[in-house]
Amino acid sequence: MTVILNDRRVAIPLLQNIIDETALKIISSTIDTAKNVLQICYENRIPLSSIYKKVRRLEQEGLVSVERIEVSGKGRRVTFYRSNIKSLDFDLKGEGVLLQFEQNNGFLSKY
């Protein structure tokens, strides 16, 4: 399913969150497979604290979702995140911005 946003008050802040290098790496690495923050950290060589902050922000924006929560051997909860975006196209149209998302497995329910 495709979601189209052409309200610039929504589209521009959302695009600003996605364009961030850390956000792009998180979204890209979780398109096909849900991953926990440690996996994302090691795969992309991003500091763990940055991953935690950015994942929280992306989750608030509806760009990533919790796919599952597991309990580790040490009894800790491990959260696995998955990108809600499979692909994104954007187009500048005069005064506005047009964002077109392809949903990743039916997520992206916020928009």
Side-chain angles (χ1 to χ4, degrees):
M1 179 178 175
T2 301
V3 176
I4 299 173
L5 295 174
N6 56 12
D7 181 349
R8 64 182 285 156
R9 295 170 299 186
V10 175
I12 291 174
L14 188 60
L15 189 57
Q16 287 173 329
N17 283 329
I18 296 170
I19 289 178
D20 176 90
E21 183 179 0
T22 302
L24 279 173
K25 287 180 178 182
I26 292 168
I27 290 169
S28 296
S29 71
T30 59
I31 287 174
D32 296 322
T33 307
K35 296 179 182 167
N36 65 46
V37 290
L38 282 175
Q39 291 171 317
I40 297 168
C41 174
Y42 292 131
E43 183 178 297
N44 294 287
R45 295 186 176 104
I46 300 171
L48 196 55
S49 61
S50 297
I51 300 283
Y52 275 111
K53 288 177 195 173
K54 191 57 72 171
V55 163
R56 225 171 308 150
R57 176 101 173 175
L58 292 172
E59 188 177 10
Q60 289 172 350
E61 290 292 330
L63 300 172
V64 299
S65 294
V66 174
E67 184 171 278
R68 69 184 184 277
I69 299 173
E70 297 178 358
V71 178
S72 72
K74 295 181 179 181
R76 293 185 180 156
R77 289 182 345 152
V78 180
T79 305
F80 288 80
Y81 297 93
R82 180 110 187 245
S83 171
N84 293 336
I85 300 171
K86 188 172 187 174
S87 68
L88 167 69
D89 292 317
F90 74 96
D91 195 5
L92 300 175
K93 298 273 186 185
E95 293 288 317
V97 176
L98 176 68
L99 295 180
Q100 186 169 330
F101 297 93
E102 183 180 349
Q103 291 184 354
N104 194 10
N105 294 328
F107 287 98
L108 204 64
S109 57
K110 182 175 179 178
Y111 302 99

